[in-house]
Every structure is written in structure tokens, then in C-alpha cells.
Amino acid sequence: MTLFSMLPPQLFSPLASPGAALYAEVLLTIFGETRRHQQPLSRELALSLVRELLVAAEDGLAATHDAEDEPATPDDDDPLSRRAAAVVRYLTRCGWLRIETQSDFTQTFTLPDYAFRLLNVLHEIATDEPLPIQGLIFSIYSLLQTSVREGNAHISLPEAYRQTTSLMSGLKELQHNIGVHIEQVLRQLQARDVLAQIFLHYRGEIMDKAYHQLRTTDHVSRFRPGVIEALALLSNEQQVVQIAQSLRASGFAPTVEAAASRLLEQIREIRSQFELLDRLLQAIDLRHSQFVDSAVRTIELQLTASSTTSGQLHALLGHLLTADDGALEAAVTEHVELFSLALLEAESLAAPTRAAVPFVAETRTLPQLSAEDVAAAQAQTLQQLRRSVSRERIRHYAAQLLGEADMVHVGTQPLDHPDNLAMLIYLRQYGDGSLGYRSEDTPEGTWIERDGIGFRDFVIRRL
């Protein structure tokens, strides 16, 4: 199925005519009124809207000359009213409007389904609405979590897939729009124009609309674990069959098998997009850094155009590139000569110049570990983790020393392990009662030395 098998062939004729701006304004006005009214627009209201736009336009009659007027009648000598009716008929003939005749033989105008979608996109472009990515990551996360909790995945999972597609399209659009701003910065010849591009256009169109929200409220790391977890639960075979049966019962799929196949494909697509989302975000960050670097470098060269060689060259080349009279080609031909690089002196000790060689990383093959090596490494790691002195370990050590007694002298205990010194230090440090025991000095304050380790004897008392 091709695009123009769904659209009338002459649909875009009004937007390709000399009066395209006026026709677009007429269509967007009718679209706005259609969204505000619960009933279809009456013929009188539609003609009134078009006539007001023709009055406001300076050359409304000339711009809409391709809309043929009807011959004037004795009761109707207003050319604007006749042209408004001709414009409405022209838009109907092109497929933007559809006439419905009511039971009282009055006519109303409705918009076809494709006209609603196209005009919605044109309205977003005309009003400069933000990129459609704000809140999408959180919305996808909420939809999938709701699917798991409430069991309405046959409704929320297709919607999560649709919003994931919108998210990826919006991110791609953001990436490409940054490139447009980079080109605009490089074309500016004044520092004030570069600063205006940075702090007005780029900040308003990129930073405030999409990039800032993407890195704060819609941060991927906050919601991706929940999305992946919900997808893992929904991809269970039993869950997929239940969702497919609900889709089949709702009439969204011809068979349960087709619904299950489409569900698995959507789940894989959402998971794949979220797992690879960091790469796209890194590409957007790179484009943002390129824009900032380009802007800073352009301002630097423009501010130093009268004091440094690089700034003067930048100013000269910028002037030559903006001139459309072949000045750059003439300047290069007459005033620029290229010489081969060579040593000035044959006996010089300086190293000869050489072309840059790209760095190629050496591929190293890692040895394959056997099951015994893996088990040994895991045991060694576990042993190191167990040597960490935690509060729970000190609690266990104090309980081991006390045994069944309520009090014990630490100096009477053997120091037969390398970790005993650290254990004694923390045993005394944590002896404030928070771990179920209290450490107290002995009245004698006996000094004890064992294997080169000395400390004052103290007691620990069970609480």
C-alpha cells in the first residue's frame, strides 16, 4: 500500500500554489475550530472564517486566484464572500474538507482522518511546540509497571511500544537539530550573532525544550531498570498467551497466534531500544559538545581577528567565502604556493617529518578459564570479602567471646588469627552498647603483650 493510495492526488496542490501561506492559515484555522466544536462546522461558520482571513490578508484575492469564483448574483455583490466560498470548494475538491448534508438539507464540513493527522503535524510546526520527548520515558515506565500490577497489558503494552517509537524519533530529531545550529554558528560573522544563536535560539529550541529534561526529569538510569524488569515479566509465555487472548477478544488481532507474535516483537523492540539508548544519548551529547566548541572557537577567532594570525586568517577566509565573485579562487591561485616539506640542512640533527599514522589497537586474546580456575577465584574473592570488618561481624565476634558468660576479660582470649588485632580495635571502638555489649576498662589496667602486640586489658559485658 503506497502513500497516495490513501491520499487524494491533488491534496497538496493548495500548499504548492502561490497562495500557500494563506491556504495553510485557512486550513489551520478550520482545524482549530474543528477541535473546539463538538459538532461539525456549519457552512456559514466556515465561510465566515475564510472571509475574515481574506480581509486580513493584503492580497487575499490575488493569492487565491486558483480558486474559481461563481458568477455574481443580484443579491450577492461581495467579492470576498464569493472568493471565500470558492476557497472552501477548492479545499473540498482537493480533499482537505468533506461535505455532509444534514437531515434539514444544511451542509456541514468535516475533516478526513488523514487531514486531521497532517494538520496536527503542521500545527505543531507552526506553533513551534517542543519536541515530543518530554515525559515519554517516565510514561513508558508507568505504562509497563501498570501492566504488571493491574493486568491490562493488552491496552498499555501497544501504547508503550507506540511511545517508544515516538521517543526514538524525537531523539533523532534532537540530534539532527543540533547539527543545524552548528552550521548556523559557523556562518555567523559577528560575535554578537554567535552569542544570540547560543543564548536565544539554541537555548530556546534545544536546551529548554528537550535536552535539559532529557538529562534531569527523564533521566534514563532512573526508569530503565523498571522498564526492563516489567518487560521480562510480560514476556513470560503464559503472560503472552493471556495478553494475546485479550487482544483477540477486543478485535485488535485476527488470531491469538498473530497477536502473540506481534506482542513478542513489540517487547523485543522496546527492550532493544532501551538497552541501546545510551549510544544515542552519547551521540546527542557529542553533538552538543561540538556545538559548544564551534561557538566558543568562532567567538575566539572573531574577537582576536585584529591581534592574532589565526583570527586574521579566519576573518579573511570568512569574507572571501561569503563573496560570490570568485575572489577566493583568484586569491588561492595568485597568492598561495605550496612547497614540499624538507629539512633545511642536510646535517641537521632534527628528526625528519613523517606522515601521521593512525593508531591501531592490538587485539589480545584472553585465556579461557577452566571451571576450577573460576571456582578458585570466586573462593579467593569470598575470602577477601569475609575479611572486611563490619558491625555485624564485630557483633558476632563479641557473642563468640562471651559465649554463655555475661562478662569476659579480653586479655584472656588467645590471639591466634592475623585479623585478631583489627577485631580487638573495633571491638573496643564499637563497645558503646549499640551491638549488644559494652566494653569497660579493668581496675587493674593490665598491660598485655602477645607476639609483638600490646594493649590494655579490658572487659566486654553483655547487655
Side-chain angles (χ1 to χ4, degrees):
M1 182 178 295
T2 61
L3 175 62
F4 283 95
S5 64
M6 303 292 297
L7 301 178
Q10 67 276 20
L11 179 67
F12 295 103
S13 297
L15 302 181
S17 65
L22 183 55
Y23 284 126
E25 190 173 0
V26 168
L27 289 172
L28 291 176
T29 302
I30 293 177
F31 175 67
E33 289 295 326
T34 301
R35 292 199 300 184
R36 283 191 289 270
H37 286 73
Q38 295 182 354
Q39 300 295 330
L41 299 184
S42 64
R43 185 176 185 276
E44 291 73 16
L45 177 58
L47 294 179
S48 175
L49 294 173
V50 177
R51 190 182 187 284
E52 291 177 0
L53 294 176
L54 290 175
V55 171
E58 295 181 358
D59 55 347
L61 294 177
T64 58
H65 65 86
D66 45 355
E68 299 178 359
D69 293 347
E70 291 183 350
T73 62
D75 298 333
D76 183 14
D77 57 352
D78 184 6
L80 287 177
S81 298
R82 293 197 304 272
R83 183 55 59 88
V87 169
V88 172
R89 288 195 304 273
Y90 178 55
L91 295 177
T92 304
R93 189 167 60 251
C94 292
W96 287 103
L97 300 175
R98 186 172 59 231
I99 298 177
E100 289 185 358
T101 303
Q102 305 300 317
S103 58
D104 57 354
F105 301 102
T106 59
Q107 290 183 340
T108 60
F109 291 97
T110 61
L111 295 176
D113 53 352
Y114 55 81
F116 262 106
R117 299 182 186 181
L118 291 174
L119 290 175
N120 188 49
V121 174
L122 295 178
H123 174 73
E124 292 179 356
I125 297 174
T127 56
D128 195 21
E129 292 188 5
L131 293 177
I133 61 176
Q134 297 183 20
L136 278 182
I137 297 179
F138 173 72
S139 178
I140 296 168
Y141 164 81
S142 300
L143 284 170
L144 294 177
Q145 290 293 326
T146 304
S147 301
V148 175
R149 292 194 306 268
E150 301 182 6
N152 58 353
H154 65 287
I155 300 175
S156 55
L157 185 57
E159 177 63 19
Y161 173 75
R162 188 188 65 82
Q163 293 194 10
T164 302
T165 304
S166 300
L167 172 66
M168 303 309 298
S169 299
L171 292 178
K172 284 292 183 180
E173 181 181 348
L174 175 62
Q175 180 187 8
H176 294 182
N177 287 347
I178 295 176
V180 173
H181 285 276
I182 293 175
E183 295 176 359
Q184 293 175 352
V185 160
L186 296 178
R187 286 198 298 265
Q188 304 298 337
L189 299 178
Q190 298 294 332
R192 64 174 180 269
D193 297 330
V194 179
L195 293 174
Q197 183 72 29
I198 298 173
F199 294 105
L200 296 179
H201 305 293
Y202 185 78
R203 181 180 179 85
E205 298 176 13
I206 301 297
M207 293 296 295
D208 293 342
K209 287 186 178 181
Y211 189 81
H212 179 69
Q213 286 81 2
L214 189 64
R215 287 306 188 187
T216 53
T217 55
D218 279 351
H219 205 284
V220 178
S221 61
R222 294 177 57 190
F223 304 111
R224 178 163 49 192
V227 171
I228 301 299
E229 179 185 3
L231 290 175
L233 294 175
L234 294 174
S235 59
N236 180 272
E237 182 177 358
Q238 183 178 1
Q239 285 284 341
V240 170
V241 173
Q242 292 179 356
I243 301 171
Q245 290 174 349
S246 299
L247 286 173
R248 175 66 183 88
S250 302
F252 293 110
T255 62
V256 175
E257 291 75 13
S261 176
R262 187 173 63 182
L263 283 172
L264 291 175
E265 182 180 355
Q266 291 177 350
I267 291 173
R268 284 194 297 267
E269 183 68 18
I270 297 174
R271 181 187 293 113
S272 174
Q273 296 292 359
F274 269 86
E275 289 176 349
L276 300 178
L277 196 55
D278 285 334
R279 296 184 182 179
L280 182 55
L281 295 179
Q282 289 174 1
I284 294 175
D285 291 340
L286 178 60
R287 298 280 275 183
H288 174 67
S289 300
Q290 289 174 347
F291 171 79
V292 175
D293 294 341
S294 302
V296 172
R297 180 61 176 165
T298 301
I299 293 176
E300 179 184 0
L301 291 174
Q302 292 174 355
L303 294 178
T304 59
S306 60
S307 58
T308 64
T309 303
S310 60
Q312 293 170 355
L313 288 175
H314 180 267
L316 290 173
L317 291 175
H319 175 73
L320 293 174
L321 288 172
T322 54
D324 192 18
D325 53 0
L328 178 60
E329 183 179 357
V332 171
T333 304
E334 296 179 5
H335 302 290
V336 178
E337 295 181 359
L338 299 178
F339 296 90
S340 60
L341 298 177
L343 293 178
L344 298 179
E345 185 179 353
E347 302 298 329
S348 174
L349 299 178
T353 59
R354 61 185 180 87
V357 178
F359 172 76
V360 179
E362 297 181 0
T363 304
R364 298 181 58 184
T365 58
L366 298 177
Q368 297 293 331
L369 298 179
S370 62
E372 293 78 8
D373 296 335
V374 173
Q378 291 175 345
Q380 183 179 2
T381 303
L382 181 60
Q383 182 180 2
Q384 293 175 355
L385 292 175
R386 286 176 175 173
R387 292 192 63 185
S388 62
V389 182
S390 62
R391 294 177 61 87
E392 188 61 31
R393 186 177 176 188
I394 295 302
R395 184 199 307 273
H396 179 72
Y397 182 61
Q400 181 181 354
L401 292 181
L402 287 169
E404 300 295 334
D406 292 333
M407 183 191 70
V408 66
H409 283 264
V410 177
T412 61
Q413 304 300 316
L415 301 178
D416 53 357
H417 194 274
D419 295 339
N420 279 349
L421 176 60
M423 298 294 287
L424 290 180
I425 294 174
Y426 283 98
L427 189 69
R428 183 66 183 269
Q429 181 68 24
Y430 294 154
D432 57 356
S434 61
L435 298 182
Y437 74 92
R438 187 179 300 278
S439 62
E440 301 174 355
D441 294 329
T442 59
E444 301 82 6
T446 307
W447 180 261
I448 299 174
E449 289 192 12
R450 293 182 185 176
D451 298 330
I453 300 174
F455 61 92
R456 294 284 181 186
D457 190 17
F458 63 95
V459 299
I460 58 174
R461 192 182 306 276
R462 189 192 306 275
L463 295 182

